[in-house]
PDB file of all heavy atoms in Angstrom:
ATOM      1  N   SER J1314       1.747 -20.527  11.141  1.00 92.00           N
ATOM      2  CA  SER J1314       0.377 -20.366  10.671  1.00 92.00           C
ATOM      3  C   SER J1314      -0.257 -21.721  10.375  1.00 92.00           C
ATOM      4  O   SER J1314       0.427 -22.743  10.246  1.00 92.00           O
ATOM      5  CB  SER J1314       0.357 -19.498   9.414  1.00 92.00           C
ATOM      6  OG  SER J1314       1.155 -20.096   8.397  1.00 92.00           O
ATOM      7  N   GLU J1315      -1.575 -21.704  10.260  1.00 92.00           N
ATOM      8  CA  GLU J1315      -2.336 -22.906   9.886  1.00 92.00           C
ATOM      9  C   GLU J1315      -2.788 -22.753   8.437  1.00 92.00           C
ATOM     10  O   GLU J1315      -3.357 -21.720   8.065  1.00 92.00           O
ATOM     11  CB  GLU J1315      -3.544 -23.089  10.803  1.00 92.00           C
ATOM     12  CG  GLU J1315      -3.179 -23.321  12.262  1.00 92.00           C
ATOM     13  CD  GLU J1315      -4.407 -23.525  13.136  1.00 92.00           C
ATOM     14  OE1 GLU J1315      -5.532 -23.466  12.583  1.00 92.00           O
ATOM     15  OE2 GLU J1315      -4.245 -23.740  14.345  1.00 92.00           O
ATOM     16  N   ILE J1316      -2.529 -23.776   7.635  1.00 91.00           N
ATOM     17  CA  ILE J1316      -2.839 -23.719   6.209  1.00 91.00           C
ATOM     18  C   ILE J1316      -3.957 -24.707   5.898  1.00 91.00           C
ATOM     19  O   ILE J1316      -3.915 -25.868   6.319  1.00 91.00           O
ATOM     20  CB  ILE J1316      -1.601 -24.030   5.349  1.00 91.00           C
ATOM     21  CG1 ILE J1316      -0.481 -23.016   5.636  1.00 91.00           C
ATOM     22  CG2 ILE J1316      -1.958 -24.001   3.873  1.00 91.00           C
ATOM     23  CD1 ILE J1316       0.598 -23.512   6.499  1.00 91.00           C
ATOM     24  N   THR J1317      -4.952 -24.242   5.165  1.00 90.00           N
ATOM     25  CA  THR J1317      -6.061 -25.089   4.734  1.00 90.00           C
ATOM     26  C   THR J1317      -6.175 -25.026   3.219  1.00 90.00           C
ATOM     27  O   THR J1317      -6.156 -23.935   2.633  1.00 90.00           O
ATOM     28  CB  THR J1317      -7.389 -24.639   5.363  1.00 90.00           C
ATOM     29  OG1 THR J1317      -7.256 -24.609   6.786  1.00 90.00           O
ATOM     30  CG2 THR J1317      -8.516 -25.571   4.982  1.00 90.00           C
ATOM     31  N   PHE J1318      -6.277 -26.186   2.579  1.00 88.00           N
ATOM     32  CA  PHE J1318      -6.397 -26.260   1.132  1.00 88.00           C
ATOM     33  C   PHE J1318      -7.820 -26.634   0.740  1.00 88.00           C
ATOM     34  O   PHE J1318      -8.476 -27.442   1.399  1.00 88.00           O
ATOM     35  CB  PHE J1318      -5.436 -27.307   0.555  1.00 88.00           C
ATOM     36  CG  PHE J1318      -3.997 -26.939   0.681  1.00 88.00           C
ATOM     37  CD1 PHE J1318      -3.209 -27.506   1.662  1.00 88.00           C
ATOM     38  CD2 PHE J1318      -3.430 -26.019  -0.183  1.00 88.00           C
ATOM     39  CE1 PHE J1318      -1.880 -27.167   1.784  1.00 88.00           C
ATOM     40  CE2 PHE J1318      -2.106 -25.672  -0.072  1.00 88.00           C
ATOM     41  CZ  PHE J1318      -1.325 -26.245   0.913  1.00 88.00           C
ATOM     42  N   TYR J1319      -8.246 -26.026  -0.364  1.00 87.00           N
ATOM     43  CA  TYR J1319      -9.530 -26.376  -0.969  1.00 87.00           C
ATOM     44  C   TYR J1319      -9.267 -26.765  -2.426  1.00 87.00           C
ATOM     45  O   TYR J1319      -8.480 -26.107  -3.119  1.00 87.00           O
ATOM     46  CB  TYR J1319     -10.511 -25.201  -0.928  1.00 87.00           C
ATOM     47  CG  TYR J1319     -10.939 -24.797   0.462  1.00 87.00           C
ATOM     48  CD1 TYR J1319     -10.146 -23.969   1.235  1.00 87.00           C
ATOM     49  CD2 TYR J1319     -12.140 -25.245   1.007  1.00 87.00           C
ATOM     50  CE1 TYR J1319     -10.523 -23.590   2.513  1.00 87.00           C
ATOM     51  CE2 TYR J1319     -12.530 -24.880   2.279  1.00 87.00           C
ATOM     52  CZ  TYR J1319     -11.723 -24.051   3.027  1.00 87.00           C
ATOM     53  OH  TYR J1319     -12.113 -23.676   4.293  1.00 87.00           O
ATOM     54  N   ASN J1320      -9.901 -27.821  -2.871  1.00 81.00           N
ATOM     55  CA  ASN J1320      -9.789 -28.279  -4.264  1.00 81.00           C
ATOM     56  C   ASN J1320      -8.347 -28.589  -4.635  1.00 81.00           C
ATOM     57  O   ASN J1320      -7.845 -28.173  -5.681  1.00 81.00           O
ATOM     58  CB  ASN J1320     -10.353 -27.228  -5.232  1.00 81.00           C
ATOM     59  CG  ASN J1320     -11.754 -26.815  -4.878  1.00 81.00           C
ATOM     60  OD1 ASN J1320     -12.572 -27.635  -4.470  1.00 81.00           O
ATOM     61  ND2 ASN J1320     -12.045 -25.529  -5.013  1.00 81.00           N
ATOM     62  N   SER J1321      -7.634 -29.313  -3.782  1.00 72.00           N
ATOM     63  CA  SER J1321      -6.225 -29.596  -4.033  1.00 72.00           C
ATOM     64  C   SER J1321      -5.878 -30.995  -3.545  1.00 72.00           C
ATOM     65  O   SER J1321      -6.400 -31.467  -2.536  1.00 72.00           O
ATOM     66  CB  SER J1321      -5.334 -28.576  -3.319  1.00 72.00           C
ATOM     67  OG  SER J1321      -3.977 -28.960  -3.373  1.00 72.00           O
ATOM     68  N   ASN J1322      -4.969 -31.631  -4.297  1.00 68.00           N
ATOM     69  CA  ASN J1322      -4.405 -32.923  -3.881  1.00 68.00           C
ATOM     70  C   ASN J1322      -2.943 -32.754  -3.494  1.00 68.00           C
ATOM     71  O   ASN J1322      -2.149 -33.687  -3.563  1.00 68.00           O
ATOM     72  CB  ASN J1322      -4.529 -33.939  -5.024  1.00 68.00           C
ATOM     73  CG  ASN J1322      -5.971 -34.269  -5.340  1.00 68.00           C
ATOM     74  OD1 ASN J1322      -6.794 -34.424  -4.429  1.00 68.00           O
ATOM     75  ND2 ASN J1322      -6.292 -34.359  -6.621  1.00 68.00           N
ATOM     76  N   MET J1323      -2.573 -31.585  -3.081  1.00 64.00           N
ATOM     77  CA  MET J1323      -1.186 -31.255  -2.775  1.00 64.00           C
ATOM     78  C   MET J1323      -0.678 -32.050  -1.574  1.00 64.00           C
ATOM     79  O   MET J1323      -1.358 -32.175  -0.562  1.00 64.00           O
ATOM     80  CB  MET J1323      -1.087 -29.750  -2.498  1.00 64.00           C
ATOM     81  CG  MET J1323       0.307 -29.224  -2.303  1.00 64.00           C
ATOM     82  SD  MET J1323       0.242 -27.428  -2.114  1.00 64.00           S
ATOM     83  CE  MET J1323       1.969 -27.093  -1.805  1.00 64.00           C
ATOM     84  N   ASN J1324       0.547 -32.559  -1.697  1.00 62.00           N
ATOM     85  CA  ASN J1324       1.178 -33.318  -0.626  1.00 62.00           C
ATOM     86  C   ASN J1324       2.208 -32.443   0.073  1.00 62.00           C
ATOM     87  O   ASN J1324       3.137 -31.949  -0.541  1.00 62.00           O
ATOM     88  CB  ASN J1324       1.856 -34.573  -1.198  1.00 62.00           C
ATOM     89  CG  ASN J1324       2.393 -35.481  -0.103  1.00 62.00           C
ATOM     90  OD1 ASN J1324       2.247 -35.195   1.087  1.00 62.00           O
ATOM     91  ND2 ASN J1324       2.993 -36.582  -0.507  1.00 62.00           N
ATOM     92  N   MET J1325       2.044 -32.232   1.386  1.00 59.00           N
ATOM     93  CA  MET J1325       2.919 -31.344   2.139  1.00 59.00           C
ATOM     94  C   MET J1325       3.606 -32.075   3.280  1.00 59.00           C
ATOM     95  O   MET J1325       3.822 -31.528   4.347  1.00 59.00           O
ATOM     96  CB  MET J1325       2.098 -30.180   2.695  1.00 59.00           C
ATOM     97  CG  MET J1325       1.437 -29.319   1.651  1.00 59.00           C
ATOM     98  SD  MET J1325       2.615 -28.285   0.805  1.00 59.00           S
ATOM     99  CE  MET J1325       3.118 -27.222   2.133  1.00 59.00           C
ATOM    100  N   GLU J1326       3.986 -33.305   3.072  1.00 55.00           N
ATOM    101  CA  GLU J1326       4.523 -34.101   4.167  1.00 55.00           C
ATOM    102  C   GLU J1326       5.820 -33.519   4.723  1.00 55.00           C
ATOM    103  O   GLU J1326       6.101 -33.627   5.905  1.00 55.00           O
ATOM    104  CB  GLU J1326       4.761 -35.534   3.681  1.00 55.00           C
ATOM    105  CG  GLU J1326       3.474 -36.295   3.384  1.00 55.00           C
ATOM    106  CD  GLU J1326       3.759 -37.699   2.930  1.00 55.00           C
ATOM    107  OE1 GLU J1326       4.958 -38.052   2.800  1.00 55.00           O
ATOM    108  OE2 GLU J1326       2.796 -38.446   2.693  1.00 55.00           O
ATOM    109  N   HIS J1327       6.636 -32.886   3.868  1.00 50.00           N
ATOM    110  CA  HIS J1327       7.932 -32.403   4.333  1.00 50.00           C
ATOM    111  C   HIS J1327       7.815 -31.240   5.309  1.00 50.00           C
ATOM    112  O   HIS J1327       8.760 -30.924   6.014  1.00 50.00           O
ATOM    113  CB  HIS J1327       8.787 -31.990   3.139  1.00 50.00           C
ATOM    114  CG  HIS J1327       8.261 -30.788   2.413  1.00 50.00           C
ATOM    115  ND1 HIS J1327       7.154 -30.840   1.600  1.00 50.00           N
ATOM    116  CD2 HIS J1327       8.687 -29.516   2.390  1.00 50.00           C
ATOM    117  CE1 HIS J1327       6.926 -29.655   1.085  1.00 50.00           C
ATOM    118  NE2 HIS J1327       7.833 -28.827   1.544  1.00 50.00           N
ATOM    119  N   SER J1328       6.673 -30.580   5.374  1.00 52.00           N
ATOM    120  CA  SER J1328       6.513 -29.437   6.268  1.00 52.00           C
ATOM    121  C   SER J1328       5.552 -29.706   7.413  1.00 52.00           C
ATOM    122  O   SER J1328       5.313 -28.838   8.236  1.00 52.00           O
ATOM    123  CB  SER J1328       6.013 -28.219   5.469  1.00 52.00           C
ATOM    124  OG  SER J1328       6.946 -27.860   4.477  1.00 52.00           O
ATOM    125  N   SER J1329       4.968 -30.889   7.469  1.00 50.00           N
ATOM    126  CA  SER J1329       3.915 -31.146   8.438  1.00 50.00           C
ATOM    127  C   SER J1329       4.412 -31.096   9.884  1.00 50.00           C
ATOM    128  O   SER J1329       3.614 -30.931  10.798  1.00 50.00           O
ATOM    129  CB  SER J1329       3.270 -32.506   8.147  1.00 50.00           C
ATOM    130  OG  SER J1329       4.252 -33.535   8.226  1.00 50.00           O
ATOM    131  N   SER J1330       5.703 -31.246  10.099  1.00 67.00           N
ATOM    132  CA  SER J1330       6.218 -31.220  11.468  1.00 67.00           C
ATOM    133  C   SER J1330       6.226 -29.815  12.044  1.00 67.00           C
ATOM    134  O   SER J1330       6.323 -29.640  13.250  1.00 67.00           O
ATOM    135  CB  SER J1330       7.634 -31.802  11.501  1.00 67.00           C
ATOM    136  OG  SER J1330       8.506 -31.048  10.678  1.00 67.00           O
ATOM    137  N   VAL J1331       6.163 -28.796  11.207  1.00 80.00           N
ATOM    138  CA  VAL J1331       6.216 -27.409  11.671  1.00 80.00           C
ATOM    139  C   VAL J1331       4.865 -26.727  11.532  1.00 80.00           C
ATOM    140  O   VAL J1331       4.383 -26.070  12.451  1.00 80.00           O
ATOM    141  CB  VAL J1331       7.291 -26.625  10.888  1.00 80.00           C
ATOM    142  CG1 VAL J1331       7.274 -25.159  11.297  1.00 80.00           C
ATOM    143  CG2 VAL J1331       8.666 -27.243  11.121  1.00 80.00           C
ATOM    144  N   PHE J1332       4.221 -26.900  10.392  1.00 84.00           N
ATOM    145  CA  PHE J1332       2.976 -26.202  10.106  1.00 84.00           C
ATOM    146  C   PHE J1332       1.792 -27.152  10.172  1.00 84.00           C
ATOM    147  O   PHE J1332       1.894 -28.332   9.829  1.00 84.00           O
ATOM    148  CB  PHE J1332       3.030 -25.559   8.705  1.00 84.00           C
ATOM    149  CG  PHE J1332       4.091 -24.512   8.565  1.00 84.00           C
ATOM    150  CD1 PHE J1332       5.369 -24.848   8.140  1.00 84.00           C
ATOM    151  CD2 PHE J1332       3.823 -23.194   8.871  1.00 84.00           C
ATOM    152  CE1 PHE J1332       6.355 -23.883   8.005  1.00 84.00           C
ATOM    153  CE2 PHE J1332       4.798 -22.227   8.740  1.00 84.00           C
ATOM    154  CZ  PHE J1332       6.069 -22.575   8.315  1.00 84.00           C
ATOM    155  N   THR J1333       0.670 -26.600  10.605  1.00 83.00           N
ATOM    156  CA  THR J1333      -0.576 -27.362  10.620  1.00 83.00           C
ATOM    157  C   THR J1333      -1.233 -27.226   9.259  1.00 83.00           C
ATOM    158  O   THR J1333      -1.657 -26.138   8.866  1.00 83.00           O
ATOM    159  CB  THR J1333      -1.514 -26.842  11.718  1.00 83.00           C
ATOM    160  OG1 THR J1333      -0.860 -26.953  12.984  1.00 83.00           O
ATOM    161  CG2 THR J1333      -2.806 -27.630  11.739  1.00 83.00           C
ATOM    162  N   ILE J1334      -1.307 -28.334   8.533  1.00 85.00           N
ATOM    163  CA  ILE J1334      -1.815 -28.321   7.165  1.00 85.00           C
ATOM    164  C   ILE J1334      -2.958 -29.320   7.064  1.00 85.00           C
ATOM    165  O   ILE J1334      -2.852 -30.466   7.511  1.00 85.00           O
ATOM    166  CB  ILE J1334      -0.710 -28.685   6.157  1.00 85.00           C
ATOM    167  CG1 ILE J1334       0.453 -27.684   6.279  1.00 85.00           C
ATOM    168  CG2 ILE J1334      -1.252 -28.705   4.738  1.00 85.00           C
ATOM    169  CD1 ILE J1334       1.656 -28.059   5.466  1.00 85.00           C
ATOM    170  N   LYS J1335      -4.043 -28.867   6.476  1.00 85.00           N
ATOM    171  CA  LYS J1335      -5.195 -29.750   6.345  1.00 85.00           C
ATOM    172  C   LYS J1335      -5.949 -29.435   5.062  1.00 85.00           C
ATOM    173  O   LYS J1335      -5.831 -28.343   4.500  1.00 85.00           O
ATOM    174  CB  LYS J1335      -6.121 -29.600   7.549  1.00 85.00           C
ATOM    175  CG  LYS J1335      -6.628 -28.177   7.791  1.00 85.00           C
ATOM    176  CD  LYS J1335      -7.459 -28.101   9.067  1.00 85.00           C
ATOM    177  CE  LYS J1335      -7.928 -26.662   9.310  1.00 85.00           C
ATOM    178  NZ  LYS J1335      -8.738 -26.546  10.547  1.00 85.00           N
ATOM    179  N   LYS J1336      -6.714 -30.398   4.618  1.00 83.00           N
ATOM    180  CA  LYS J1336      -7.594 -30.233   3.477  1.00 83.00           C
ATOM    181  C   LYS J1336      -9.028 -30.196   3.979  1.00 83.00           C
ATOM    182  O   LYS J1336      -9.411 -30.984   4.842  1.00 83.00           O
ATOM    183  CB  LYS J1336      -7.399 -31.376   2.486  1.00 83.00           C
ATOM    184  CG  LYS J1336      -5.994 -31.449   1.914  1.00 83.00           C
ATOM    185  CD  LYS J1336      -5.815 -32.645   1.007  1.00 83.00           C
ATOM    186  CE  LYS J1336      -4.383 -32.733   0.500  1.00 83.00           C
ATOM    187  NZ  LYS J1336      -4.167 -33.923  -0.351  1.00 83.00           N
TER     188      LYS J1336
END
Side-chain angles (χ1 to χ4, degrees):
S1314 59
E1315 297 181 359
I1316 300 102
T1317 305
F1318 292 102
Y1319 294 82
N1320 307 321
S1321 171
N1322 295 319
M1323 186 176 177
N1324 187 1
M1325 299 287 294
E1326 291 181 357
H1327 67 286
S1328 299
S1329 60
S1330 60
V1331 176
F1332 297 90
T1333 301
I1334 301 172
K1335 57 184 179 180
K1336 298 176 183 178

